[in-house]
Amino acid sequence: MKKARRKSRRKPILLEGDEMVAHDEEKEPSATVDGQNAAAKMTSKETDSTPLISSNQSGDGGEEDPTLVDHLTDLRKQLIKSTVTFVVFFILVFSTINLWFPVVTRGHELIVLGPLEVVTFYMSLSLALSFGLSLPFICHYLWQFAKPGLLEKESQFIGLYSPIMLLLFIGGLAFGYFVVNPLSYRFLVSIGAMNFTVMVSAQEYAKFLLMTTMPIGLLFELPIVAMFLSAIGLLTGDTLKKVRKWSYISLAIISALITPPDFISQLIVLIPMVLLYEASILIVVYMEKRKNNGAVQKVSEN
């Protein structure tokens, strides 16, 4: 009986052991499956993360940043060249200011209201002359910087017409110096001489000279601006003809702002501006006809 009881007691233990073993054996394949799933997830995460890392490395790797750094370095070089050129011309003009003084003042009797006004007049005169003399070199340096980033049409246009731009600017300065400045100066002085003793200070004369020369030189660039806008397809001859009236009003306002407050000076500036606007229309229309003829020839050849 005792042996039977012992055997009966051992059987559930063995059964429980067998069940434990069986349960453990059932757990082992499930654990292996879970491990395989976890490994698969890790590999999928690694495969998903690798392109992100590679893309980040390619983005940070040195294509964009060195290009930007190269552009900034090139711009810095061109600005340094422009500054050095301007400083050299400023030193030359300031050291020879007595040679430029009769040309600028045209023999007018000027007065100074203090010792510092002499220095101010010489400095402003030297800055204006040095800027005008160094302007072609500065434009050339800026052109060297901007040329790689321009389109083919823009590059060809600026490279072809940059000498004409310089000539037009010089022509505008000459027109202001030889025509607008003396006529407006005499007119204003003659009006003041009727009731006042006119004494013109050196600083006021320098401002008046710059007002009647530099803006006119910039306005003489109107045909080149119209040609450039037409070359890139932003302006047409029909558009210029439609807005002709409003353009005349705008030119009249601009001429009133950049000239002394007298009708003679404004009229002297407005007349060439209107002529330049009409010339711009003719030039743009001619460019359009030439472009259309070239397109027709290409179609006929094909």
Side-chain angles (χ1 to χ4, degrees):
M1 292 293 292
K2 291 182 179 179
K3 291 182 180 179
R5 288 180 181 176
R6 288 178 182 176
K7 289 181 181 179
S8 61
R9 288 180 180 176
R10 287 178 182 177
K11 286 180 180 179
I13 294 172
L14 291 173
L15 290 173
E16 288 178 0
D18 294 336
E19 289 176 358
M20 292 291 291
V21 171
H23 184 68
D24 292 336
E25 289 176 355
E26 290 177 358
K27 283 185 177 180
E28 286 178 359
S30 64
T32 55
V33 172
D34 293 337
Q36 291 177 357
N37 293 331
K41 290 180 180 179
M42 291 294 292
T43 53
S44 63
K45 288 181 179 179
E46 289 177 357
T47 54
D48 293 334
S49 62
T50 50
L52 293 175
I53 295 172
S54 62
S55 63
N56 292 330
Q57 288 179 355
S58 63
D60 299 332
E63 293 183 357
E64 295 182 357
D65 291 341
T67 304
L68 179 60
V69 171
D70 291 338
H71 281 297
L72 293 177
T73 303
D74 192 11
L75 178 61
R76 178 175 172 271
K77 290 179 181 179
Q78 303 304 331
L79 291 177
I80 291 174
K81 290 180 182 179
S82 302
T83 305
V84 171
T85 303
F86 177 77
V87 171
V88 169
F89 276 107
F90 177 79
I91 294 172
L92 291 176
V93 172
F94 191 79
S95 60
T96 59
I97 194 65
N98 292 327
L99 299 176
W100 298 93
F101 187 80
V103 178
V104 174
T105 58
R106 294 174 171 272
H108 299 305
E109 294 182 359
L110 305 177
I111 63 171
V112 291
L113 303 177
L116 294 178
E117 189 172 350
V118 178
V119 180
T120 305
F121 176 75
Y122 287 162
M123 290 290 290
S124 60
L125 184 62
S126 300
L127 287 172
L129 291 174
S130 58
F131 176 75
L133 293 173
S134 61
L135 185 62
F137 300 94
I138 294 174
C139 292
H140 177 69
Y141 297 147
L142 295 178
W143 163 246
Q144 287 181 345
F145 169 73
K147 184 178 180 180
L150 295 176
L151 298 175
E152 185 178 358
K153 291 183 179 180
E154 299 171 351
S155 178
Q156 291 178 355
F157 180 86
I158 297 177
L160 181 62
Y161 292 102
S162 56
I164 302 176
M165 294 171 63
L166 180 60
L167 292 176
L168 286 174
F169 181 74
I170 295 174
L173 293 178
F175 179 77
Y177 179 78
F178 290 106
V179 178
V180 179
N181 180 266
L183 290 177
S184 58
Y185 183 83
R186 291 171 189 171
F187 177 74
L188 293 174
V189 170
S190 62
I191 291 177
M194 295 179 181
N195 300 309
F196 303 96
T197 300
V198 179
M199 292 185 296
V200 182
S201 64
Q203 189 64 26
E204 291 297 326
Y205 180 80
K207 292 180 181 178
F208 182 79
L209 181 62
L210 293 176
M211 185 186 298
T212 55
T213 53
M214 296 294 291
I216 299 174
L218 295 175
L219 286 176
F220 267 58
E221 302 290 337
L222 181 62
I224 298 297
V225 174
M227 291 173 64
F228 177 74
L229 295 177
S230 176
I232 62 177
L234 296 179
L235 188 66
T236 60
D238 295 333
T239 304
L240 290 174
K241 292 177 182 178
K242 289 179 182 178
V243 298
R244 179 181 282 148
K245 295 180 180 179
W246 297 105
S247 299
Y248 287 170
I249 296 173
S250 301
L251 291 175
I253 295 172
I254 293 172
S255 62
L257 293 174
I258 66 173
T259 54
D262 63 282
F263 179 74
I264 300 298
S265 301
Q266 297 173 8
L267 187 62
I268 291 172
V269 175
L270 181 59
I271 292 174
M273 291 300 100
V274 172
L275 295 177
L276 288 173
Y277 186 83
E278 294 296 331
S280 301
I281 295 176
L282 296 176
I283 292 171
V284 170
V285 171
Y286 173 75
M287 290 179 63
E288 290 176 351
K289 289 182 179 179
R290 185 177 178 181
K291 185 177 180 180
N292 294 330
N293 292 331
V296 171
Q297 289 179 358
K298 287 181 180 180
V299 171
S300 62
E301 289 176 357
N302 294 329

